[in-house]
């Protein structure tokens, strides 16, 4: 990817990068909190790092009706690699990493 193309979309203010690996127990809550945000100028990039539970299925079902949600899947490469991949894909002016034990208020 040409790095000059990153962060050029004026509509997307925040790129939320969510790294996931076998987290089906917590994933729906995290995705629901993001969807419920009152601030809509964001994208949510979920990167599945080779999960072997139903994580990928949940991600794919959730993105069907949510155009702001992007799902990438790959073999297990670890947090550092997938966070860097998220940066390469991000279109927002700001980048946030969201772990599944993070909580985001609806009006923030």
């Amino acid at each position: 990817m040409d790095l000059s193309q990153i962060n050029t979309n004026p509509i997307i203010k925040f790129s939320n990068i969510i790294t996931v690996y076998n987290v089906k127990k917590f994933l729906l809550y995290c995705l629901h909190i993001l969807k419920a945000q009152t601030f809509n100028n964001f994208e949510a990039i979920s990167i599945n790092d080779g999960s072997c539970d139903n994580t990928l299925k949940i991600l794919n079902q959730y993105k069907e009706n949510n155009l702001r949600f992007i799902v990438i899947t790959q073999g297990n490469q670890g947090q550092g690699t997938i966070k860097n991949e998220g940066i390469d894909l991000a279109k927002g002016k700001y980048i946030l990493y969201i772990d599944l034990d993070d909580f985001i208020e609806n009006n923030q």
Side-chain angles (χ1 to χ4, degrees):
M1 168 181 269
D2 180 3
L3 294 180
S4 67
Q5 295 175 356
I6 296 176
N7 300 334
T8 59
N9 188 335
I11 296 172
I12 299 174
K13 184 127 186 179
F14 296 98
S15 293
N16 299 290
I17 300 171
I18 310 157
T19 58
V20 295
Y21 177 75
N22 291 342
V23 290
K24 69 176 183 173
K25 182 176 179 181
F26 306 103
L27 185 57
L28 280 175
Y29 183 73
C30 177
L31 296 174
H32 176 72
I33 291 295
L34 278 171
K35 181 182 175 191
Q37 292 299 302
T38 56
F39 183 84
N40 290 317
N41 299 355
F42 73 88
E43 65 182 347
I45 303 169
S46 298
I47 304 175
N48 177 39
D49 195 28
S51 296
C52 53
D53 63 0
N54 282 333
T55 294
L56 183 58
K57 181 179 178 182
I58 293 167
L59 289 171
N60 285 330
Q61 288 174 341
Y62 203 85
K63 78 169 186 172
E64 285 180 10
N65 297 316
N66 298 288
L67 298 177
R68 294 174 294 175
F69 289 75
I70 300 160
V71 175
I72 306 297
T73 192
Q74 61 188 32
N76 188 273
Q77 296 182 26
Q79 288 284 323
T81 300
I82 60 176
K83 284 184 177 185
N84 287 334
E85 183 174 340
I87 290 171
D88 290 343
L89 296 170
K91 296 180 186 111
K93 182 174 182 180
Y94 303 101
I95 294 174
L96 302 166
Y97 291 110
I98 298 178
D99 294 322
L100 293 181
D101 58 353
D102 292 339
F103 295 93
I104 301 169
E105 296 291 331
N106 286 351
N107 59 356
Q108 298 296 316

